Amino acid sequence: FEYVAISDIRPGDEITVDYGREWEEAWLEHMERWTGPDKDAETYILPQELNANYSIPIPTYEEDNNTMAGKTIHAECHFMRESAENHTQKVWQWTEKDMNGGKHEVRRVIDRKQLPSDQSYVYTVELAIQTHGKDLVPNTVVGVPRKALSFTHTEYQSDSLIQGVFRHEMMIPDEIFPNAWKNIV
């Protein structure tokens, strides 16, 4: 669609589209029936928010074992896999060189500490690191800064897939289309 403004649009003006009476009635009916998503919605954080705002504390597994345990959000951590490949050690101190490493799945966030110097957080995470096609024993990485972590929705778990969310066809009135576009015989 191309939209043509019939008056000047100023910064901050809201532009709306009317989907028709049927859509609006369906929306109002939905709002009357809507009880909200499940109990975890109050603690739910969008992955986009976590990626954009480093000051949001990432919940530990103890605080929220649904979101951060891979049930709704998938987390990854930059870490040099080579550090873990040839060692029996299973607890590692994160270092700046780990930013050059690959991203590894975070199985869970174990702990969070706030740094007094700048109020930022560092995390202790359990990573799933694969080497030579086999799962390594889980590795714990201590002192992981927020910049080393990234988040996405777990497959089929985005907020648009919450059961019972509003979905309805956009009702575009026929009269906005020229007759030549319509399949009129």
Side-chain angles (χ1 to χ4, degrees), residues 41-126:
E42 292 175 19
T43 59
Y44 182 74
I45 304 169
L46 285 170
Q48 299 92 314
E49 290 177 56
L50 290 172
N51 290 329
N53 186 349
Y54 288 0
S55 67
I56 298 173
I58 299 167
T60 66
Y61 181 80
E62 292 290 321
E63 293 169 335
D64 183 2
N65 65 8
N66 282 323
T67 301
M68 298 312 299
K71 293 181 182 169
T72 58
I73 292 181
H74 176 79
E76 293 183 319
C77 177
H78 283 278
F79 182 67
M80 295 289 279
R81 180 178 85 181
E82 295 75 26
S83 301
E85 275 187 348
N86 300 314
H87 296 84
T88 57
Q89 178 180 336
K90 299 301 172 205
V91 178
W92 301 92
Q93 176 65 48
W94 193 91
T95 65
E96 194 62 36
K97 73 174 173 69
D98 288 316
M99 277 305 288
N100 298 321
K103 289 183 177 182
H104 300 281
E105 177 187 350
V106 174
R107 287 188 174 167
R108 61 190 182 124
V109 177
I110 299 168
D111 191 30
R112 174 184 66 242
K113 289 189 180 7
Q114 192 167 24
L115 299 176
S117 58
D118 62 1
Q119 302 300 303
S120 65
Y121 295 97
V122 292
Y123 299 88
T124 300
V125 298
E126 181 181 291

Side-chain angles (χ1 to χ4, degrees), residues 33-45:
R33 293 179 306 177
W34 179 246
T35 58
D38 63 23
K39 63 179 176 49
D40 296 322
E42 292 175 19
T43 59
Y44 182 74
I45 304 169

